[in-house]
Amino acid sequence: MRLDFYLSHVTDLARKASKIAASKGRVTVNGEIIKKANYTVQETDVICLDDERLAWPSEGYYLLHKPAGYVCATEDAEHPIVVDLLPSHLGQSLKVVGRLDKDTTGLLLLTTDGQWLHRITSPKKACSKRYQMTLVDSIDDAALEQLEKGVLLNGESQLTLPAVAERISDKEIYLTIQEGKYHQVKRMLAAVGNKVVTLHRDQIGDLVLDSALAPGEFRALTEDEVGYF
Ligand code: URA
């Protein structure tokens, strides 16, 4: 794999900072200073940053700014799939952590680590997810209160768990939920007689979507961020 890509996966450096670190002579491969970001490294190489030996990546943890139009599936005959946004050697082994609808944008996590995925998606862990949305109709305080207390989704027999609903403007709110039922947010808004126009996830637990990432861009999570879950 390319040196800058490798560095961005095993250190806190983003891709651009990795290129700069190499160009400044901070990186050695098998004892030789390598300044070219496109130099190919492999698992058997001894790779050091500032004289400190780096490990070969084991599990992968990535944060993607999902653009609209991509589906969270491993295959789809009609639509592009989110793993196509990552380099192919990564994409094949990655699993999506909690799906977003095709038209939903924002924070999407991908990993090779099944236990970590489970810690985020298991209903027992009640991991919070924050969504920002625009609505067809204005929403009143009574509807926000109802969303917070719990609503009965079409086809379900139990109320949704307590949520946090915050108004941004007449037709725009944040909703933080602990569950991840199929089309949950859209169904919750339908339950209070409204309709979601745009939906964007900007936070999962303590992890906030990186504002430096444009739609379609991704980066590896830092060790600290992996440790949030
Ligand atoms: N709820 C929805 O309705 N859609 C999503 O994509 C995510 C949560």
Side-chain angles (χ1 to χ4, degrees):
M1 93 179 61
R2 280 176 60 114
L3 179 60
D4 57 340
F5 186 75
Y6 164 80
L7 290 172
S8 70
H9 284 75
V10 297
T11 71
D12 285 354
L13 301 175
R15 193 81 178 259
K16 200 168 161 196
S18 297
K19 281 185 189 160
I20 295 170
S23 71
K24 288 191 171 160
R26 291 171 58 195
V27 180
T28 58
V29 180
N30 304 322
E32 205 182 310
I33 293 178
I34 301 294
K35 293 192 172 182
K36 282 194 178 152
N38 66 356
Y39 182 90
T40 301
V41 289
Q42 47 202 13
E43 197 165 358
T44 48
D45 289 332
V46 176
I47 308 160
C48 298
L49 173 68
D50 299 331
D51 296 326
E52 205 163 300
R53 182 154 182 195
L54 302 172
W56 196 251
S58 46
E59 299 286 10
Y61 305 88
Y62 302 94
L63 178 167
L64 170 74
H65 185 165
K66 180 191 174 294
Y70 282 75
V71 293
C72 293
T74 42
E75 273 176 66
D76 193 290
E78 282 174 52
H79 309 287
I81 54 178
V82 286
V83 287
D84 285 347
L85 293 163
L86 286 89
S88 55
H89 71 277
L90 285 177
Q92 283 159 11
S93 53
L94 287 174
K95 294 182 188 70
V96 172
V97 183
R99 292 169 178 228
L100 291 177
D101 297 337
K102 181 162 76 78
D103 53 350
T104 303
T105 58
L107 173 53
L108 187 69
L109 298 173
L110 298 110
T111 186
T112 56
D113 183 342
Q115 287 185 351
W116 189 79
L117 181 149
H118 180 74
R119 285 205 288 280
I120 300 173
T121 54
S122 162
K124 282 190 193 143
K125 307 284 177 187
C127 181
S128 66
K129 277 105 21 192
R130 187 170 89 152
Y131 294 89
Q132 181 177 354
M133 72 206 74
T134 54
L135 303 168
V136 167
D137 297 312
S138 312
I139 186 157
D140 61 18
D141 289 346
L144 292 182
E145 213 174 293
Q146 227 181 313
L147 289 171
E148 291 202 331
K149 281 190 183 150
V151 292
L152 195 58
L153 301 183
N154 191 13
E156 303 278 344
S157 55
Q158 284 190 328
L159 291 182
T160 54
L161 291 177
V164 178
E166 300 159 83
R167 178 189 304 288
I168 304 170
S169 66
D170 273 5
K171 295 185 180 178
E172 202 178 353
I173 64 165
Y174 285 120
L175 184 64
T176 305
I177 58 172
Q178 305 165 43
E179 301 155 287
K181 295 204 172 94
Y182 182 66
H183 292 329
Q184 172 137 359
V185 173
K186 290 174 185 165
R187 289 163 72 206
M188 285 178 79
L189 270 296
V192 295
N194 214 314
K195 193 169 187 301
V196 172
V197 181
T198 63
L199 187 59
H200 177 82
R201 181 161 68 190
D202 68 352
Q203 193 167 348
I204 300 176
D206 289 334
L207 185 65
V208 178
L209 179 61
D210 191 331
S211 58
L213 292 179
E217 289 184 342
F218 74 98
R219 68 163 171 82
L221 292 187
T222 64
E223 254 180 58
D224 280 355
E225 289 169 334
V226 173
Y228 289 171
F229 305 100

